[in-house]
Amino acid sequence: MILSKTTLNGLGSAQLIVPDQRHFNLPERVLQFGTGVLLRGLPDYFINKANLKGIFNGRIAVVKSTSKGNTNAFTEQDNLYTICVRGIEQGEKIKENIVTSAISRVLTADTDWDHILEIATSKDLRLIVSNTTEVGIQLVKEDINQSPPRSFPAKLLAVLYARYLAFAKTDEDADLVVIATELIPDNGKKLEAIVFELADYQGLDSEFVGWLKQHVHFCNSLVDRIVPGKPDEAVLAELEAELGYTDQLLIMAEPYRLWAIEGGAAVERLLGLTGVDEGIIVKPDIEIYRELKVRLLNGSHTLASAIAFLSGISTVAEAMAEAPLKRYISKVMQKEIAPAIPYEVAIALSTAFADTVIDRFSNPFIAHSWINITFQYTMKIKIRVVPVLLNYYKKYHQVPAHIALGFAAYLVFMRVSRASSNGQYFGVFQGKEYQITDDQGSYFQEKSGLSAAEYIQQVLSDEGLWTTDLSVLPGLQETITDQYQMILSVGMQETLQQALQQSEKHLQSN
């Protein structure tokens, strides 16, 4: 039995939270750019929860921005899908299965652009959400009258301009909140700046610009929930046997959830999500949440990903069952990242957050693959790790050994061995090939013929990658080169063991 509206009535299990039939008639209040599991497992989760409480009373029209893949699964299941929440929360095991009806339809930008512009003119619309990955918020100077424009900011401007044309001459309340969830600093404000620059490039009139400033609230936001997506075949079969139906869109998620939105009373009123869940926070300043999450959780994820992968460990939970990896993650957070967060954070707060990260990484129910964490690896190192590295040097004037080891492992992982004819890049470690999914793949391919020393020096010194020359940091290049060579000669596991032993000896001598 496939999950759908027609089979929903037969799913009255005490272990399953299902929507009410009236939810299918709720208006579309949200336009969402992105079909990814993070959006489906966090903002869409909150909106579904609000509908269940009778608070938000609205559904989500989702825009699939790329032509890759199709929307067949959404259509076949009437846009229903299951969120299986599994993990540990305050020492208690959490197990919750939720069939969510938050999504009303999924549209493809290439074929449904007119329908998307129609949604823009709806009186019901109040929120636009995006997650177009870290590289999605970029300025592309293009005509917004294309069907559709190529870049996400141009698509958004076209939507906002259509709304302006529909409401500018009326007294209708056309106010909107635009929330970016891409993992870059000041995501909403950067998106706003690009939209205004595109409006100027397009030659749109000053009245529209004024309307935009008055009626559209661009918000920075932070999303924090591990949502690894669809489980592997064995786990999926077990879940579907428990649930009693087949779900092509089923996703797993941890219990922890946070959506911190930067905004004041007007934004909070427009969203209408107050009181839905303690994980939704609307405040004028959310920087502390971003720093804790990006540095401690994401930063340690990023630094450990190549170390774990090159050690032959597939998932985060498996790594936490390995004492060396668990010690590495704990030490890099507590000893190097937490003291060097480039924001005023109390040590007690960062320590407590780091403890929750260890619990979250240890979640036995979530199969979060390390290879997936290496997606856009270079961008993640730049955003999550480099600011901490620079601040560590500023404060302590020495090499952070654990961060350096993570960087060395990253450089080993990114060493391209071959490229396919369709633009895919691959690396090889100890005879095993893996795919490198990174926008800098061609850059690293160009360096494949360099010696190890030349390769490391050129990458570290490249200001185009890091906006600064990392090779000038005292001792960093030498330390990374030594670790890089050791990984190649004795393997990742032995290198990690030796690095941890050296670190412990250093602590005992001080």
Side-chain angles (χ1 to χ4, degrees):
M1 179 172 66
I2 297 175
L3 178 64
S4 68
K5 285 166 64 174
T6 57
T7 60
L8 194 59
N9 289 334
L11 305 179
S13 166
Q15 301 295 317
L16 192 63
I17 299 171
V18 298
D20 191 286
Q21 287 291 332
R22 65 184 177 82
H23 293 161
F24 295 106
N25 298 319
L26 294 175
E28 291 175 331
R29 298 194 185 280
V30 185
L31 181 61
Q32 175 176 296
F33 286 85
T35 59
V37 294
L38 179 61
L39 287 175
R40 292 199 287 125
L42 191 61
D44 300 359
Y45 163 89
F46 285 133
I47 288 167
N48 184 73
K49 188 171 183 178
N51 289 339
L52 288 170
K53 290 186 173 186
I55 294 176
F56 186 76
N57 296 320
R59 302 183 79 195
I60 306 161
V62 175
V63 178
K64 184 176 176 295
S65 297
T66 67
S67 57
K68 184 179 178 181
N70 58 54
T71 62
N72 293 348
F74 287 96
T75 302
E76 291 169 7
Q77 296 185 186
D78 298 315
N79 303 300
L80 295 168
Y81 64 95
T82 312
I83 303 174
C84 295
V85 180
R86 300 287 189 277
I88 309 297
E89 191 172 49
Q90 297 180 347
E92 299 291 329
K93 283 189 176 182
I94 302 296
K95 178 181 177 182
E96 192 175 47
N97 303 313
I98 306 156
V99 175
T100 169
S101 60
I103 294 175
S104 58
R105 52 178 164 162
V106 178
L107 303 167
T108 302
D110 288 344
T111 57
D112 300 314
W113 188 240
D114 288 343
H115 295 299
I116 293 164
L117 293 181
E118 284 177 14
I119 295 170
T121 67
S122 168
K123 296 177 183 178
D124 296 311
L125 185 65
R126 68 167 74 160
L127 172 62
I128 296 177
V129 179
S130 73
N131 192 306
T132 55
T133 76
E134 289 91 336
V135 298
I137 299 182
Q138 291 187 359
L139 174 65
V140 178
K141 292 186 176 180
E142 58 176 317
D143 185 356
I144 66 167
N145 294 311
Q146 299 173 88
S147 184
R150 290 171 296 155
S151 68
F152 163 60
K155 289 184 178 76
L156 177 58
L157 178 59
V159 164
L160 295 175
Y161 191 65
R163 189 168 185 81
Y164 161 76
L165 293 177
F167 291 107
K169 305 302 181 183
T170 73
D171 293 327
E172 298 285 352
D173 182 4
D175 286 14
L176 281 180
V177 178
V178 176
I179 303 179
T181 67
E182 290 81 358
L183 191 59
I184 59 173
D186 297 321
N187 43 22
K189 295 308 175 186
K190 286 183 178 176
L191 178 59
E192 179 181 32
I194 293 171
V195 166
F196 276 97
E197 189 169 350
L198 276 173
D200 180 66
Y201 172 79
Q202 190 72 32
L204 301 178
D205 58 73
S206 58
E207 287 187 8
F208 167 68
V209 173
W211 178 89
L212 202 58
K213 291 177 180 177
Q214 181 180 352
H215 294 283
V216 181
H217 305 263
F218 288 85
C219 298
N220 296 328
S221 90
L222 173 75
V223 286
D224 188 2
R225 190 178 211 180
I226 298 173
V227 187
K230 190 174 183 178
D232 62 37
E233 289 185 9
V235 175
L236 181 61
E238 184 179 330
L239 287 169
E240 289 184 338
E242 175 188 331
L243 295 169
Y245 57 84
T246 300
D247 183 353
Q248 302 174 73
L249 300 170
L250 181 149
I251 58 174
M252 299 280 286
E254 67 169 338
Y256 183 89
R257 61 220 175 264
L258 174 69
W259 191 14
I261 301 161
E262 194 168 270
V267 168
E268 191 168 14
R269 176 184 58 79
L270 281 167
L271 287 177
L273 293 171
T274 303
V276 169
D277 189 285
E278 62 182 12
I280 300 177
I281 294 170
V282 182
K283 288 188 175 181
D285 184 2
I286 62 168
E287 188 63 16
I288 191 169
Y289 301 103
R290 194 190 81 83
E291 286 295 329
L292 287 171
K293 189 257 184 178
V294 171
R295 307 307 172 198
L296 290 169
L297 186 137
N298 297 133
S300 59
H301 249 166
T302 299
L303 286 165
S305 57
I307 295 174
F309 181 80
L310 298 176
S311 296
I313 298 171
S314 299
T315 69
V316 176
E318 289 172 10
M320 300 307 288
E322 296 282 339
L325 251 300
K326 187 172 183 178
R327 289 211 315 275
Y328 171 81
I329 291 170
S330 180
K331 284 179 178 294
V332 77
M333 283 197 297
Q334 300 282 15
K335 303 298 182 183
E336 294 179 358
I337 298 176
I341 291 175
Y343 188 80
E344 195 63 39
V345 180
I347 289 296
L349 182 59
S350 61
T351 300
F353 189 87
D355 289 341
T356 68
V357 169
I358 294 295
D359 289 340
R360 294 169 67 189
F361 284 4
S362 302
N363 186 342
F365 301 101
I366 298 293
H368 198 180
S369 299
W370 287 112
I371 192 66
N372 291 341
I373 297 171
T374 66
F375 177 77
Q376 299 298 358
Y377 207 165
T378 304
M379 176 70 77
K380 288 175 179 175
I381 289 280
K382 176 183 177 181
I383 291 172
R384 302 171 175 180
V385 177
V386 169
V388 171
L389 172 64
L390 296 174
N391 205 42
Y392 189 93
Y393 264 95
K394 183 179 178 181
K395 293 181 72 173
Y396 302 108
H397 313 289
Q398 64 183 18
V399 179
H402 297 94
I403 291 177
L405 178 61
F407 214 115
Y410 153 77
L411 289 170
V412 172
F413 180 91
M414 291 298 296
R415 197 72 187 255
V416 174
S417 63
R418 74 175 180 93
S420 67
S421 58
N422 60 352
Q424 293 181 318
Y425 301 93
F426 299 87
V428 173
F429 185 72
Q430 295 184 335
K432 294 182 179 179
E433 187 176 73
Y434 55 87
Q435 187 170 350
I436 298 170
T437 310
D438 192 302
D439 282 349
Q440 298 296 334
S442 61
Y443 170 90
F444 281 88
Q445 184 194 20
E446 292 170 2
K447 301 191 180 304
S448 60
L450 298 175
S451 68
E454 291 172 328
Y455 167 61
I456 293 166
Q457 193 280 328
Q458 288 190 22
V459 174
L460 287 180
S461 64
D462 194 327
E463 296 185 26
L465 285 183
W466 318 117
T467 68
T468 189
D469 183 349
L470 299 178
S471 70
V472 303
L473 297 174
L476 182 66
Q477 184 174 317
E478 294 79 6
T479 301
I480 288 176
T481 301
D482 289 345
Q483 292 170 333
Y484 180 98
Q485 297 282 25
M486 186 178 293
I487 293 168
L488 295 182
S489 62
V490 303
M492 188 68 250
Q493 290 175 319
E494 179 63 24
T495 303
L496 176 59
Q497 288 277 19
Q498 291 190 30
L500 290 170
Q501 290 170 6
Q502 187 173 352
S503 169
E504 287 161 4
K505 286 179 182 178
H506 177 73
L507 286 173
Q508 291 170 3
S509 64
N510 287 337

